[in-house]
Amino acid sequence: MATTVETRRDQMFPRLSEADIRRVERFGSRVLYGAGVSIIAAGGTSPGLFLILSGEVAVTRRDSAGVDHLIVQHGHGEFVGELSQLSGRPALVDARTAGAVEALLVPSEKLRALMIAEADLGERLMRALILRRVGLIESGAGPVIVAPAGQGDLLRLQGFLGRNGHPYQWIDSAADPASAALMERLHLTAEEMPIVLCPAGQILRNPSEQELARCLGLVGTIDPDRLYDVAVVGAGPAGLATAVYAGSEGLSVLVLDSRAFGGQAGASARIENYLGFPTGITGMALMARAYNQAQKFGTDFAIPDEARFVEPREVDGSPCFRLRLGTTEAASARTVVIASGARYRRPPIPGIEDFEGTSVHYWASPLERKLVADTEAVLVGGGNSAGQAAVFLAGMAAKVWMIIRAPGLEASMSRYLIDRIQATPNIELVTQSEVIELHGNSGALDSVAWRHRQSGMTTTRPIRHLFLFIGADPNTGWLEGCAIGVDSKGFVLTGAGPAHHALETSLPGIFAVGDVRAGSVKRVAAAVGEGAQVVAAIHAYLAARSAAPALPPTGDDRP
């Protein structure tokens, strides 16, 4: 398969005209470097984007053996940078001058301003930054993970990096001869796997997602003294929509999420009923676009980091809120938007927890799809997410057994998905049945048994991977004791506050959007709509307290 560099090179590495360079000049400052100077180092924070005025800069990536590979050599009118430069996070590549170089240096905050002020030029720059990140994911830049195939903690780290759109390299310690030499050179043992070699040189031994994120610079220290206009808890469709609209209207925004951006939508194999995408789009692609868009408008992200409590407080006599976080840090904001979504529901199957992370999965990404190649898999669930996942997995699996408790799919799934499942020969729908037993050793499944609920007939198949899409419960446990009303199922109640705004909770200044809200429509488009709608309510709340800029003239984003 052709790589992105091969198919879209002109868009990845555009050459700006002299007129374009003059437009960039007011956002940058001229810098001079001699020959052989490192202007960007992998693992280090880049000062920004470099637009080359004269000379050349070689951009390279380093493989697991420490060998540099040339990605591109930039000359006059070309720029050095990728998405790391937009967010101000540590670089994934090295950049070194090939001779004397003069360049325009555009810091991250000025780069975001440039993209907004110069829309057509900003579009070309943003497209190039995104495509360069795709190219790095394809080529395997970033941290190196050493572990045997199928190890549970390896899958955990791969899933975390993949869902956060972060490139990485993987060395199969059981199959790659180079791994033994690497382990010996670094004095590491197999018991410590997975080993992660970070770009800046740190070595992590079976790290948590938080440890890995901090090593890679994905999440930094939050200034506890900074007062944001909006703190958004959850980076799913509703939370990202809030961030995009609030940021574009000049509000300062902090978004928190305990795992990755995108929420459940980000794990969707293909969304085909979202307005404006007639050919469909993967959930990850849609959510990644929203994530990058929010960064363009200056949103700060803390992923992975989770809110554990929210409480009212005052700063200089003005009401605001303090969020206690999963780390030792805290964050403060004038308003809070609860967009924490839902958690995947675990069925009462004996011993299921022993197989989670290795053989039992709650989403179906390209990583899981590869795991089921040429084998049988079981998928439980009858909603749209289950249907999308079944079709996606069937593209590589020998067979997908789709198990539902209902007599059919008509009451829970869109018609186009039902038709597609019926037309896919290696998907077999098993109705009025439920999984009752899992068999295996050391976290690896050998077989799965299910039973017909009426006849009692039991079927056992040699299955190594089980996928569960049986709905979710509201992710509101962190709100316990926060004086925010929830219904009997734990969903956040809205519309009963003093202002009676449809999205405001029982605590004025705190709003709820998306799947976590009681009465919400569980669709991506509905979540995005609520995320946009809540920004008007935030403006009204802040304006009433003279704590923020007045409402925009119309809030209308139509031409």
Side-chain angles (χ1 to χ4, degrees):
M1 178 182 289
T3 65
T4 303
V5 174
E6 294 169 336
T7 59
R8 303 182 70 176
R9 188 177 186 86
D10 290 344
Q11 291 179 316
M12 288 180 76
F13 307 115
R15 187 182 297 275
L16 303 189
S17 66
E18 295 303 318
D20 290 333
I21 292 174
R22 288 193 294 272
R23 293 161 71 187
V24 175
E25 279 184 321
R26 68 188 180 98
F27 296 94
S29 56
R30 290 180 179 252
V31 290
L32 298 172
Y33 297 100
V37 175
S38 172
I39 62 173
I40 296 177
T45 301
S46 167
L49 179 143
F50 293 90
L51 174 58
I52 309 302
L53 302 177
S54 65
E56 293 187 334
V57 173
V59 179
T60 59
R61 67 170 181 85
R62 187 166 299 173
D63 66 17
S64 58
V67 178
D68 289 330
H69 297 268
L70 180 67
I71 297 174
V72 64
Q73 187 130 333
H74 288 303
H76 173 73
E78 298 178 324
F79 56 90
V80 182
E82 60 98 42
L83 283 177
S84 295
Q85 277 63 50
L86 179 64
S87 61
R89 290 185 173 134
L92 297 169
V93 297
D94 296 294
R96 186 176 294 274
T97 60
V101 167
E102 182 180 12
L104 281 172
L105 172 58
V106 183
S108 297
E109 64 275 9
K110 293 291 186 66
L111 177 58
R112 295 191 291 268
L114 185 160
M115 287 183 170
I116 295 170
E118 301 285 352
D120 58 335
L121 178 56
E123 179 183 351
R124 280 181 280 157
L125 293 175
M126 177 61 86
R127 181 182 296 113
L129 298 183
I130 292 173
L131 289 174
R132 292 178 187 186
R133 173 58 63 91
V134 172
L136 293 177
I137 292 174
E138 292 175 347
S139 63
V144 179
I145 305 177
V146 183
Q151 186 191 56
D153 285 313
L154 167 65
L155 297 177
R156 173 177 60 83
L157 296 179
Q158 286 179 313
F160 169 71
L161 292 173
R163 292 195 65 185
N164 280 288
H166 199 285
Y168 66 90
Q169 306 170 59
W170 167 51
I171 297 179
D172 185 347
S173 59
D176 193 329
S179 68
L182 179 65
M183 298 289 285
E184 183 177 355
R185 175 165 59 89
L186 298 176
H187 307 290
L188 301 170
T189 65
E191 289 72 24
E192 297 174 300
M193 292 184 186
I195 301 296
V196 181
L197 311 179
C198 296
Q202 306 98 316
I203 300 174
L204 304 180
R205 295 161 173 82
N206 192 15
S208 67
E209 294 165 11
Q210 288 75 16
E211 290 171 331
L212 179 57
R214 292 203 177 276
C215 187
L216 299 178
L218 292 179
V219 58
T221 301
I222 297 174
D223 183 357
D225 297 323
R226 179 176 181 182
L227 184 61
Y228 287 90
D229 292 319
V230 190
V232 183
V233 181
L240 290 176
T242 301
V244 168
Y245 280 88
S248 69
E249 294 179 9
L251 299 177
S252 58
V253 184
L254 171 67
V255 177
L256 303 158
D257 198 284
S258 61
R259 180 165 174 77
F261 65 81
Q264 292 186 65
S268 180
R270 179 162 294 273
I271 301 172
E272 296 190 60
N273 57 356
Y274 189 73
L275 186 68
F277 292 89
T279 60
I281 185 171
T282 67
M284 182 63 190
L286 181 64
M287 292 298 98
R289 291 181 184 188
Y291 174 69
N292 293 328
Q293 195 174 14
Q295 289 186 92
K296 170 184 171 180
F297 290 118
T299 295
D300 287 342
F301 283 89
I303 302 176
D305 208 341
E306 62 180 335
R308 293 192 172 176
F309 197 78
V310 59
E311 56 191 347
R313 60 176 299 196
E314 283 192 359
V315 173
D316 298 329
S318 297
C320 63
F321 300 95
R322 176 183 173 86
L323 285 157
R324 295 186 213 160
L325 307 182
T327 62
T328 57
E329 301 164 349
S332 298
R334 293 185 173 91
T335 63
V336 175
V337 176
I338 301 169
S340 47
R343 288 179 171 170
Y344 298 104
R345 193 173 294 154
R346 176 194 284 172
I349 304 172
I352 188 173
E353 62 278 0
D354 296 336
F355 301 99
E356 289 178 328
T358 53
S359 296
V360 172
H361 314 279
Y362 294 88
W363 54 81
S365 73
L367 177 63
E368 286 77 31
R369 193 186 194 208
K370 291 179 182 178
L371 295 176
V372 302
D374 302 320
T375 67
E376 293 186 5
V378 167
L379 185 145
V380 180
N384 277 0
S385 295
Q388 291 160 354
V391 173
F392 178 66
L393 295 172
M396 293 190 73
K399 186 169 187 174
V400 176
W401 298 87
M402 189 171 185
I403 299 175
I404 62 173
R405 294 165 62 94
L409 296 169
E410 287 73 16
S412 59
M413 187 179 292
S414 297
R415 185 71 242 177
Y416 80 92
L417 277 172
I418 295 175
D419 293 342
R420 186 162 300 165
I421 288 169
Q422 292 174 344
T424 304
N426 60 332
I427 297 178
E428 182 164 340
L429 181 64
V430 182
T431 62
Q432 296 181 298
S433 299
E434 57 189 355
V435 173
I436 57 171
E437 290 181 353
L438 305 178
H439 303 284
N441 293 293
S442 303
L445 273 179
D446 294 329
S447 63
V448 174
W450 59 87
R451 180 175 57 210
H452 192 270
R453 301 180 70 198
Q454 291 184 339
S455 68
M457 182 181 295
T458 298
T459 302
T460 302
R461 297 289 302 178
I463 301 292
R464 296 177 60 189
H465 293 281
L466 169 66
F467 295 83
L468 300 170
F469 290 83
I470 58 172
D473 297 314
N475 187 14
T476 53
W478 65 280
L479 292 175
E480 185 175 352
C482 294
I484 294 173
V486 298
D487 67 12
S488 59
K489 295 182 179 179
F491 291 94
V492 178
L493 295 169
T494 57
H500 300 295
H501 189 279
L503 300 177
E504 191 171 40
T505 70
S506 55
L507 200 57
I510 297 184
F511 305 83
V513 294
D515 289 0
V516 75
R517 189 178 71 83
S520 65
V521 178
K522 306 302 188 278
R523 289 287 187 270
V524 174
V528 170
E530 289 189 5
Q533 180 186 356
V534 77
V535 177
I538 290 169
H539 275 297
Y541 173 84
L542 293 175
R545 288 156 178 77
S546 301
L551 267 166
T554 65
D556 194 345
D557 57 2
R558 293 174 294 180

